[in-house]
Each structure stands twice: as C-alpha cells, then as structure tokens.
Amino acid sequence: MDNLSEALKTLKLSSADSVEGCLDCLLKALAHNNVETSGKIQEMGVLAMMPALLSAQNSCTPKVANIIAEVAKNEFMRSPCVEAGLIPPLVQLLNSKDQEILLQTGRALGNICYDSHEGRSAVDAAGGAQIVAEHIKSLAESTDPATGKLLTVFCGMLMNYSNDNDSLQAQLIIMGVIPTLVRLLGVHSQNTALTEMCLIAFGNLAELESSKEQFASTNIAEELVRLFRKQVEHEKKEMIFEVLAPLAENDVIKLQLVDAGLVECLLEVVAQTVDSDRDEDVAQLKTSSDLMVLLLLGDESMQKLFEGGKGSVFQRVLSWVPSNNHQLQLAGALAIANFARNDGNCIHMVDTGIVQKLLELLDRHVEEGNVTVQHAALSALRNLAIPVVNKSKMLLAGVSDVVLKFLKSEMPPVQFKLLGTLRMLIDTQADAAEQLGTNTKLVERLVEWCEAKDHAGVMGESNRLLSALIRHSKSKDVVRTVIQGGGVKHLVIMATSEHMIMQNEALVALGLIAALDLDCAEKDFVAANLVQVLHRLLTDEHSAPEIKYNSMILICSIMGSEPLHKEVQSLAFIDVVSGLRSHENKTVAHQASLTEQRLTAQS
C-alpha cells in the first residue's frame, strides 16, 4: 500500500518519463486488491489526471485505459469516472488504429456503462456507440484470434450500454447492429465467448418489437438452429432458447424457424428429457414444448406442420396427449387447439378420433386435476366444435357429459372455457340445447356465474350460454327451467350490455321466453324492469337497427300480460315507435308500423 501511495504521489507530480512505472504499479495493486486500490485512486484525485493522460496518446495510453477499465469494475467508481470527464477522451480513442488501445478502451467504456445511467448517457452524448458499431461491422469478417477478442469486447460494450434501456436499444437497431451481429454469429461460430455475447445481445434486442422486422430480414433462424444443433450443455441451449422465444412471437420468423428445422430439434430435446427428473431436463422439456406451441400460433407455420393431418410433427405432438407427463399433456392439448384454427383442420381432426384422446385426458384430470391441462383440453374441444359438421359428432362422442364434470370447478379460466365449449356445441343443435337446458344443476350454476362480477369473462359467457340454450332449443321446458332457476333477470341485464351481439342474443332469448311461457315469466319481467330497459333501447340513438327491431318484437310479445301492458302504456311507447316508422333501415321501419298497430289495437 505504501508503494501505491508513493506511485500515486509520483504520478501527480511526475514527468512523462516516470509515468509508465507508476501505471505498472497501479495495475499491479489493482490486480492484488481492486476495491481498496480503486478507493485510494479516487481519494487522491488521480481520476482527474486521466483525461490528460488519455489525450497524450502515447505508449502509456493502453495502460491508462486498462486502469480505468479495472477501476470501473466497481459500482462506486462509475459515476466518479463520468464526473472526471473520462468519457470524451475514451470515445476519441475509439478512432485509434492500435488494436490494444481499442481493446482497453472498449473494456473501459463497457465497464463504465454497466448498470450506470450516467455512464450510458455520457457515452451516448459522445457518440461512442456509433463508432463501436462501425468497428464491429468493418471487423466482422476477420477471423484472427486478436480480432475475435476485440469483437467480443465491443459487443459486450454495446450490451452494457443498452441493457434494459429501450431507447438505447432502439438506437442500436436504427444503427443497423442486428444484421452485423447475425453475421458475426455465422463467421465466428467457433468463438464461444463471442457467440455467447451475440446471443445475450440478441436476447436484449429481440424483446423490442421494432427489432423483429430487422431480424426477419437476416438468416438469424438458420444461424440459431445451426448453433442449437451443436450444443450439448444445458446452459448454452438455454441461452439460445432465450433468444428463440421472443423472436418466435413474430409470424415471419416463426415460418423461417420451421423452415430451418427448429421443430425437429425441439422434438429431439423432448424425446431426450421426457423421462428425466433432473431439474435442468424438466426445464428444457418445458421450454421446448412451449416453443413448439408458440410456433403453431402462426397460421402459415401451423399449416405447414399440419401437412393435411399427415405431418410427422403433427403425429408426434398428438402422441403427447396420452403421455403421463403433465407438461407434455398441456403442450399436446395446446398444440391441438392451435391446429384447430380453421374448419378443414378441425373436421379432419374430429374424423381421425382426436376428440376421444382429449376426453380421456380430461377424465384423468377431473379429481384434483391440473388446471392448466383442463384449460388447454377445453380450449382444444371448443375450437374443434366450431365447424357445424363437427357438433353432432362431438355430442355423440359424449363431449358434453365429460365437460359437465367440470361444473364444480372453482377456477375461472376452466369455467370460462367450459362455458365456451358448451355454447359452441349446442349452436344449431336443438336436441342438445334442450337436454342441457333442462339440466337443473347446469342452469343453477350458470345463474350463479352470471353474478361473477370479479370475472367478466365468466359472467359474459354464462349469460351467453343461458341465452343460447333458449335460442337453439326453442323449448318451453328449457324456458321454464331458466325461469325457475332465476335466469330471467340476468338476460334482462344482458340486454343492456355494451356488446351488441350480447344485447341481441339476450333480446331474442327474452322474446322466446315471452312467446313460450309469458304467464310464468311475468313476475320476473316486472321485477327486472324489462319494459324500462326496452324503452331505453328504443330511445337510444346509438342502438343498432337489429337491437331496435328485436326490442319491438319483444314489446309485441309481452302485450298479453296485464301488468307489462300497463307499463308499456304509461311510458308512452306508441310515440317512440311511431318515430321509428321513418327509420333509415327498412326492416326497422316496417316493424315500427306493425308494433304501432299492435299498441294502438290494445290501448
């Protein structure tokens, strides 16, 4: 420490001749105890001398930059380095032709930028990132070891400069660093340190939406898949996964990854890790199968892998559903849900017996089941039930019976998918709608969920299913079950929904209730203020034509009830309806004339 103090004093007084020895002494002290030495350097005001030493640009320059790089490894020294004015002369040194100066300067700037807002701002103001990006571009093709080391330092510097800072990352993207880094990955695939640095940089940049277009214009997919195939270590694969996941959110890149053979790599990882209990294998299995599902979210990539239902990838993924591994069951069900995104695929899958696989999977998860697997399998069934030709086949296969086993679920995501699946199944299926609509337990649960104010999705779907049971069955028994279960008030509230489609569904269902069993529903209609709701819908200029039309149909249907009739008269409906005779929509205008006649006849 005494030698250090002497060296620091000498440095402050010295002439150029003795500087080099002092610098060597400092480097030795830093290597021995960096924290203590750095504190001493700051204490004795040596940082303030550094700009002059850097500007001199002589044989000592690399050592001065090296000292700054070492000192800046300490968090407490980064701001003092900026305050001492070291950034402008360091950035100036980036124009040097000397490789050692460039190396040490890159290290110094990179370390000062690490987790330091002041460091980054100063480098930004001095234009350092642009010069480094240009260096990387011009050196990218060179494969000699010294250049590889310099490129690694420069990439690290840009990474520290932009890490967790969206605006600086966006700046690098505008500078065009992405194509350069992808090129580095191709040329320097043997250089582990450099490829790792590129991967970390990609991981940071890929989170930004603006980067995706640039990535898509490079051969990043091929390079990453090629690199992935070479890896044996879990950590290296994990690094590549961290880049693949954000990139695979882009549909163009999804297709590029499929074309580059990523799917085969993922299937291989799954096969290698499926029977292992090791934490890292469990993690790889999850990442691979999740990524597989993500690739299937793109329409083109999904269709390419479906191959008319004959694709080997499609078949492999199907084999995951009966597996004993929850993660694979989940990924298999989600994959089916993603394949089931057009009618052709859905029809093919139902015809080849996939429904049975999903039902068996659900049966395994009824008691103490895995919620994510339940949710995924129900999502797949809901999608498969969309084509009309599939509905009766799926009902015959017993889908509604298995789905009803989950009525007791207290998990909103499962409730939501269960409701959507049943609603899809009964669409246009009168017998099934009647069978489910007279199921007291189901109707009671729906009425209960119609009040699930904390879960808007579940509440909305419950209302829609209640309405669908009536609309598709057109059955008096269903209507009576809904009335007795307390569902009428919810349908009246649904008629005031902000979604026109829900308003309409509610009005049609209420019209059927009034037509099929007005006596039984009368009390509930009065209690739910149905007439006031209809008056509001007809006088609201924002109401869509079909809402006005169905509201008038419903007015006519309730005129047979004395208390409702009286309410209609007291609210002067006749004036409202007569104003609609000149409505621009011909159907509305015509219905207004018919309704006016009805109201006049009964007044």
Side-chain angles (χ1 to χ4, degrees), residues 181-203:
L181 292 176
V182 175
R183 185 78 197 108
L184 283 185
L185 203 59
V187 176
H188 299 270
S189 58
Q190 304 305 316
N191 183 333
T192 311
L194 184 51
T195 50
E196 280 184 18
M197 208 56 90
C198 288
L199 288 171
I200 298 167
F202 290 147

Side-chain angles (χ1 to χ4, degrees), residues 35-138:
V35 178
E36 199 178 330
T37 307
S38 296
K40 198 91 172 154
I41 286 172
Q42 188 188 4
E43 203 182 294
M44 294 191 66
V46 172
L47 287 180
M49 301 167 55
M50 295 289 182
L53 289 170
L54 288 169
S55 302
Q57 288 208 31
N58 53 36
S59 61
C60 294
T61 308
K63 288 180 182 176
V64 179
N66 188 358
I67 288 167
I68 297 168
E70 288 302 317
V71 161
K73 286 177 178 177
N74 302 291
E75 191 182 347
F76 69 90
M77 291 299 289
R78 288 171 202 147
S79 291
C81 283
V82 176
E83 286 153 18
L86 301 187
I87 300 295
L90 281 170
V91 169
Q92 207 47 52
L93 286 179
L94 289 171
N95 297 308
S96 166
K97 296 278 181 280
D98 183 306
Q99 205 153 20
E100 185 60 20
I101 289 179
L102 289 175
L103 185 77
Q104 298 303 343
T105 304
R107 285 183 63 236
L109 289 169
N111 290 351
I112 292 171
C113 285
Y114 185 79
D115 233 357
S116 161
H117 174 68
E118 295 85 354
R120 291 167 184 181
S121 299
V123 173
D124 182 20
Q130 179 77 56
I131 304 172
V132 170
E134 282 163 12
H135 270 306
I136 296 173
K137 193 172 182 178
S138 66

Side-chain angles (χ1 to χ4, degrees), residues 196-249:
E196 280 184 18
M197 208 56 90
C198 288
L199 288 171
I200 298 167
F202 290 147
N204 291 343
L205 296 171
E207 297 292 341
L208 243 66
E209 208 40 56
S210 58
S211 74
K212 306 278 168 58
E213 212 170 295
Q214 267 202 36
F215 274 118
S217 66
T218 70
N219 64 335
I220 183 78
E222 288 168 43
E223 293 295 357
L224 288 174
V225 171
R226 196 165 55 78
L227 197 61
F228 189 84
R229 283 199 178 109
K230 284 168 49 183
Q231 303 310 322
V232 279
E233 289 172 43
H234 167 73
E235 282 76 16
K236 299 282 167 55
K237 285 183 178 173
E238 209 54 49
M239 281 180 88
I240 300 172
F241 275 140
E242 279 171 24
V243 182
L244 289 169
L247 286 180
E249 285 166 14

Side-chain angles (χ1 to χ4, degrees), residues 407-422:
L407 267 184
K408 57 187 177 194
S409 172
E410 295 302 331
M411 305 304 290
V414 174
Q415 296 166 354
F416 180 73
K417 285 298 175 188
L418 170 155
L419 293 163
T421 306
L422 291 177

Side-chain angles (χ1 to χ4, degrees), residues 531-533 535 566-576:
V531 175
Q532 286 95 313
V533 167
H535 188 270
K566 276 188 180 152
E567 281 190 57
V568 169
Q569 283 181 313
S570 72
L571 282 172
F573 261 83
I574 204 149
D575 300 340
V576 179

